[in-house]
Amino acid sequence: MMKKNAENSKPQQTVGKDGDAKQSDRSPRVARSISGEDKASEKKNTPWSFGNRNGGKRPQQRAPRARRMSLSVTRVDAWSVAKVTFLLSVAGGIIQIVAVALIWVLLNVVGVFDQVTQIVSSTGLDAGGFNLASIFSFGTVLSAVTIFAIVGVIIATLFAVILAALYNVVSQLVGGVHVTLGDD
């Protein structure tokens, strides 16, 4: 009976349809560089490590090798999508409220509301004491924008959760989105 050495028990590789070397299912996956070397088998040789072969000299600097890994996004967790979308839409709502408040203050300082009221009263359309500043008061404008922001947060969160669920269904049919990640 012969025993296999650790050196001879390398994972078997097969070549897929696209020409990439793939490991069989019997062995764990190992990250490889573009040159095909195992990243796990590389050992760092520092001057402070025991068994330094350079006699205490600094090791030679190598040019870093780029690595590429193909991955596929096959499932998206709907709860994490809901949390992230909720927080992003709350931030967007706050930005919207602050922007409208600043625009209202700017228009009030410039005197746009008074000018529009004067134009309407000079045309003779002033039937009941038209005052644009009272219609678009600061509190009224901020209340309306806050209500729209809250409705927007709810709609955006529900829409994102529905899209995540649809993505999960479709990715089961077609295999998800394939992404290739690389080191530069």
Side-chain angles (χ1 to χ4, degrees), residues 17-75:
K17 291 184 229 177
D18 54 353
D20 291 339
K22 296 182 180 179
Q23 293 182 357
S24 67
D25 292 335
R26 292 180 276 165
S27 62
R29 296 180 68 165
V30 177
R32 298 185 181 279
S33 66
I34 288 187
S35 63
E37 297 176 11
D38 290 345
K39 296 305 277 183
S41 65
E42 291 182 6
K43 294 183 179 177
K44 293 184 178 179
N45 194 8
T46 61
W48 304 282
S49 64
F50 293 107
N52 188 356
R53 296 178 188 161
N54 294 340
K57 296 180 184 175
R58 176 170 260 164
Q60 294 179 350
Q61 297 290 328
R62 288 185 185 175
R65 284 181 250 143
R67 294 180 292 175
R68 292 186 349 183
M69 182 165 288
S70 295
L71 301 171
S72 60
V73 180
T74 57
R75 186 177 179 281

Side-chain angles (χ1 to χ4, degrees), residues 85-97 141-159:
T85 305
F86 176 76
L87 290 178
L88 287 176
S89 58
V90 165
I94 291 171
I95 291 170
Q96 183 179 6
I97 292 169
V141 170
L142 280 185
S143 297
V145 170
T146 304
I147 290 169
F148 285 131
I150 291 170
V151 170
V153 165
I154 293 168
I155 290 174
T157 304
L158 289 175
F159 187 67

Side-chain angles (χ1 to χ4, degrees), residues 111-133:
V112 171
F113 298 125
D114 296 332
Q115 291 293 328
V116 171
T117 303
Q118 286 179 0
I119 290 171
V120 170
S121 64
S122 68
T123 59
L125 297 175
D126 189 15
F130 178 75
N131 187 3
L132 188 64

